[in-house]
Amino acid sequence: MPECLFCAIADETVPATQVLATDRVLAFCDIDPQAPTHVLVIPREHHPDVAALAAANAGLLHEVITQAHHVAVAEGLGEEGYRVVFNTGPQAGQTVPHVHAHVLGGRALTWPPG
Ligand code: 5GP
Ligand code: ZN
């Protein structure tokens, strides 16, 4: 099993509820949802955070964001809106060092975030 949790989810050695899968990107439900829709979108390739992914493979970052939007539309959030968050680093609350976009929606989201 890969040491990285999200690499393990990408290769299906750790189960997750998948909502979208392409050859390069995977979307799955967060195990501890913070909103009615809370989906994580990851590249299958391991990169530690969004800055590293942007530097290494901007095209793949583009795919992650495009698929995040597809997830939101599929969840019925295309009109009412949704939030895409890349927590980056410990002070932002990043706990899994494999880049992931949180797609959040289905309720009014407060601003600024806590
Ligand atoms: P971060 O805190 O790094 O921005 O986000 C990590 C997210 O991964 C958290 O929202 C957390 O609930 C979620 N998570 C942690 N472990 C698992 C797991 O085993 N399966 C799934 N589906 N989500 C997980
Ligand atoms: Zn990984």
Side-chain angles (χ1 to χ4, degrees):
M1 185 187 293
E3 278 184 30
C4 169
L5 173 62
F6 286 179
C7 283
I9 285 177
D11 75 12
E12 300 189 355
T13 53
V14 167
T17 303
Q18 297 187 9
V19 298
L20 177 153
T22 72
D23 56 341
R24 305 219 308 161
V25 172
L26 180 67
F28 55 94
C29 296
D30 197 291
I31 202 167
D32 181 22
Q34 301 301 309
T37 293
H38 188 172
V39 173
L40 302 174
V41 184
I42 65 168
R44 293 182 183 277
E45 196 173 280
H46 181 91
H47 297 274
D49 59 31
V50 69
L53 176 58
N57 193 337
L60 186 54
L61 174 57
H62 182 265
E63 286 185 46
V64 168
I65 293 171
T66 299
Q67 296 303 340
H69 178 64
H70 287 162
V71 166
V73 170
E75 293 280 319
L77 302 175
E79 292 296 318
E80 67 189 50
Y82 58 92
R83 189 171 290 169
V84 178
V85 176
F86 289 94
N87 292 327
T88 305
Q91 194 148 4
Q94 184 178 3
T95 58
V96 179
H98 179 131
V99 57
H100 48 282
H102 294 256
V103 179
L104 294 149
R107 65 170 171 85
L109 298 168
T110 56
W111 192 262

